[in-house]
Amino acid sequence: MKIFTSFILFGIIGTCFGAGGAVSGQGGSGGSLTETEETRLLAEGRPLMLTCDYNTTNTDTVWIKDGDEVVESNRIKLFKNSTLYIPAATKQDLGEYHCSLPDEQEPKVFNVVELILHKLLPKSTTVLENDKLSLTCLVQGDPLPTVQWLKNGEPIEKSINSSRLVLSENEYHVPNASLLIKPLMKNDDGDYICLITQFAIQHNTTTDVRVKDIYAALWPFLGIVAEVVLLCTIIFIYERRRIKPNFDESDSEQTNEQKSKVENSKEVDVRQRK
């Protein structure tokens, strides 16, 4: 009986843990960003190299940064192959660079930016109906990047009423990087995409939002209660059946004793009369 009881108790515990795990989401780490020819990502302490024309080998190149001409120094190197090289870049190197060659009319433009995605959105997010959905795109940048939220590939404003939708800046002061929907409706489920744009660089992170019925959390609890009631009923019936034969034996012995006493009493009474 003890083994049987333990088996059922373990089953109940397993159900409890299963119910608790149903609303958890899977997380991810920060995603890698890819720079383009025109938009370069600055990494502090690492080299920064901009080349105006890869076919040039011996030409004087004029470099302009944010309207001021770049002058060669111990920190900045200018080479005849139209390359600007900074061995250990710092945040002061962020900005817009223009390079001009003698035989080219249009200058080439580079944007050196800082863009960091600290953490991806969770792969899946489960929320109860009528609760709130809160998502934050943990992106940081200089200059501030543009963030747009999409639901199933379309701007979120098309599918979510403005009275339930709030967009605000995140902890790095990036506008629209935090999303809040309250209250959440059943048809709000879908793929939510945070689209990040920084000049020519684009990156995104996605979470699959699942909206569960408001009573979904109640069903596992009712299942646990039903299992406990069933367990108690089985134990009660088993114990009752086990104890009843003992009572029957005890009653039978008492009846036999009483009969024996009565018979003995009658014999004694008959003898005395004689």
Side-chain angles (χ1 to χ4, degrees), residues 26-130:
Q26 299 176 352
S29 59
S32 59
L33 301 168
T34 304
E35 62 183 13
T36 66
E37 177 65 21
E38 297 82 13
T39 305
R40 301 299 181 86
L41 293 172
L42 181 138
E44 286 193 86
R46 301 188 66 180
L48 172 65
M49 185 171 67
L50 307 176
T51 300
C52 195
D53 186 349
Y54 291 100
N55 297 320
T56 299
T57 57
N58 189 17
T59 305
D60 291 325
T61 308
V62 178
W63 286 91
I64 306 293
K65 175 183 177 290
D66 297 331
D68 297 324
E69 185 175 351
V70 178
V71 179
E72 188 171 20
S73 63
N74 292 332
R75 202 178 67 83
I76 301 174
K77 305 298 181 184
L78 300 177
F79 296 100
K80 291 285 188 179
N81 65 347
S82 75
T83 295
L84 180 152
Y85 181 74
I86 303 174
T90 64
K91 283 196 173 184
Q92 70 181 28
D93 298 316
L94 295 170
E96 186 177 81
Y97 291 77
H98 294 250
C99 66
S100 299
L101 296 172
D103 56 346
E104 292 186 7
Q105 295 181 353
E106 290 293 329
K108 190 172 183 179
V109 180
F110 297 89
N111 287 290
V112 177
V113 302
E114 178 188 52
L115 187 62
I116 303 169
L117 182 58
H118 293 280
K119 188 177 181 181
L120 295 173
L121 291 174
K123 292 181 180 178
S124 64
T125 304
T126 303
V127 189
L128 291 177
E129 187 180 2
N130 288 335

Side-chain angles (χ1 to χ4, degrees), residues 13-241:
I13 292 171
T15 304
C16 292
F17 279 110
V23 295
S24 64
Q26 299 176 352
S29 59
S32 59
L33 301 168
T34 304
E35 62 183 13
T36 66
E37 177 65 21
E38 297 82 13
T39 305
R40 301 299 181 86
L41 293 172
L42 181 138
E44 286 193 86
R46 301 188 66 180
L48 172 65
M49 185 171 67
L50 307 176
T51 300
C52 195
D53 186 349
Y54 291 100
N55 297 320
T56 299
T57 57
N58 189 17
T59 305
D60 291 325
T61 308
V62 178
W63 286 91
I64 306 293
K65 175 183 177 290
D66 297 331
D68 297 324
E69 185 175 351
V70 178
V71 179
E72 188 171 20
S73 63
N74 292 332
R75 202 178 67 83
I76 301 174
K77 305 298 181 184
L78 300 177
F79 296 100
K80 291 285 188 179
N81 65 347
S82 75
T83 295
L84 180 152
Y85 181 74
I86 303 174
T90 64
K91 283 196 173 184
Q92 70 181 28
D93 298 316
L94 295 170
E96 186 177 81
Y97 291 77
H98 294 250
C99 66
S100 299
L101 296 172
D103 56 346
E104 292 186 7
Q105 295 181 353
E106 290 293 329
K108 190 172 183 179
V109 180
F110 297 89
N111 287 290
V112 177
V113 302
E114 178 188 52
L115 187 62
I116 303 169
L117 182 58
H118 293 280
K119 188 177 181 181
L120 295 173
L121 291 174
K123 292 181 180 178
S124 64
T125 304
T126 303
V127 189
L128 291 177
E129 187 180 2
N130 288 335
D131 204 345
K132 66 179 180 179
L133 171 65
S134 179
L135 299 173
T136 299
C137 208
L138 288 175
V139 63
Q140 175 184 2
D142 187 3
L144 293 174
T146 300
V147 171
Q148 182 184 20
W149 288 93
L150 308 176
K151 180 187 173 222
N152 296 330
E154 293 187 351
I156 198 167
E157 292 83 359
K158 287 187 176 181
S159 55
I160 307 296
N161 192 288
S162 58
S163 62
R164 298 190 296 121
L165 176 64
V166 178
L167 297 176
S168 57
E169 64 180 28
N170 64 7
E171 60 188 271
Y172 304 106
H173 309 293
V174 177
N176 300 328
S178 292
L179 174 146
L180 176 67
I181 301 174
K182 184 179 179 181
L184 197 66
M185 297 182 178
K186 186 67 177 173
N187 60 358
D188 290 333
D189 57 358
D191 289 331
Y192 283 69
I193 304 168
C194 172
L195 180 63
I196 306 159
T197 305
Q198 180 79 299
F199 292 101
I201 297 176
Q202 275 201 341
H203 192 70
N204 68 79
T205 173
T206 305
T207 184
D208 177 21
V209 174
R210 303 169 186 175
V211 182
K212 298 188 74 174
D213 186 89
I214 191 171
Y215 299 108
L218 184 63
W219 301 127
F221 173 74
L222 292 178
I224 293 169
V225 172
E227 287 190 7
V228 171
V229 171
L230 178 62
L231 172 63
C232 293
T233 303
I234 292 172
I235 293 174
F236 175 76
I237 293 172
Y238 174 84
E239 291 294 328
R240 185 161 184 176
R241 289 184 177 180

